Amino acid sequence: MSRVPEVLFVCVHNAGRSQMAAALLAHHSLGRIAVRSAGSEPAEKVNPAAAAALAEWGLDITAEVPTKLSTQDVEASDVVITMGCGDSCPIFPGKRYLDWPLDDPAGQSVEAVRPIRDEIDRRVRNLVADLLDA
């Protein structure tokens, strides 16, 4: 793995799960892990309920812009995590691929998104420990 591990979160619209995961990883890793997120069919804006759920914890993703997944994103990453949304990524040797099966926050209330946020947070904390204690 590179000196600073790089993680890519992938979800179809790059508006909810992957944006929350990227923000939480950036927060918990304190800059010790490079983070990016992308989607195969990016939405126009971040999911408002996902943004509200993170805002409850003092994290602001409202300025984030959903991004189109590129081969370069995958190639530059050490760990590629799909968010249970069926997206497929180009496969490169030496990369670690994970799938986190998570409910989709699209169209959900902030109350419904909180448990998704909490599960992403749990997984992100485990990932930080795994990458930085390795």
Side-chain angles (χ1 to χ4, degrees), residues 2-82:
S2 60
R3 189 168 183 271
V4 174
E6 294 199 30
V7 175
L8 169 64
F9 292 103
V10 179
C11 197
V12 174
H13 300 297
N14 187 224
R17 293 167 286 193
S18 54
Q19 290 287 351
M20 288 191 290
L24 288 164
L25 183 57
H27 173 74
H28 291 308
S29 70
L30 303 172
R32 297 174 293 167
I33 298 172
V35 185
R36 56 178 86 209
S37 69
S40 56
E41 297 174 23
E44 290 184 23
K45 62 181 182 173
V46 169
N47 177 315
L54 282 183
E56 293 176 346
W57 289 359
L59 300 174
D60 183 6
I61 62 169
T62 58
E64 297 299 324
V65 177
T67 307
K68 178 84 171 151
L69 177 65
S70 72
T71 301
Q72 293 82 6
D73 289 328
V74 178
E75 194 169 27
S77 300
D78 299 299
V79 181
V80 178
I81 302 173
T82 55

Side-chain angles (χ1 to χ4, degrees), residues 98-120:
L98 301 171
D99 183 57
W100 291 355
L102 299 160
D103 291 335
D104 188 351
Q108 302 293 325
S109 67
V110 70
E111 292 80 16
V113 173
R114 285 184 189 122
I116 301 167
R117 173 204 60 199
D118 296 350
E119 178 60 17
I120 292 170

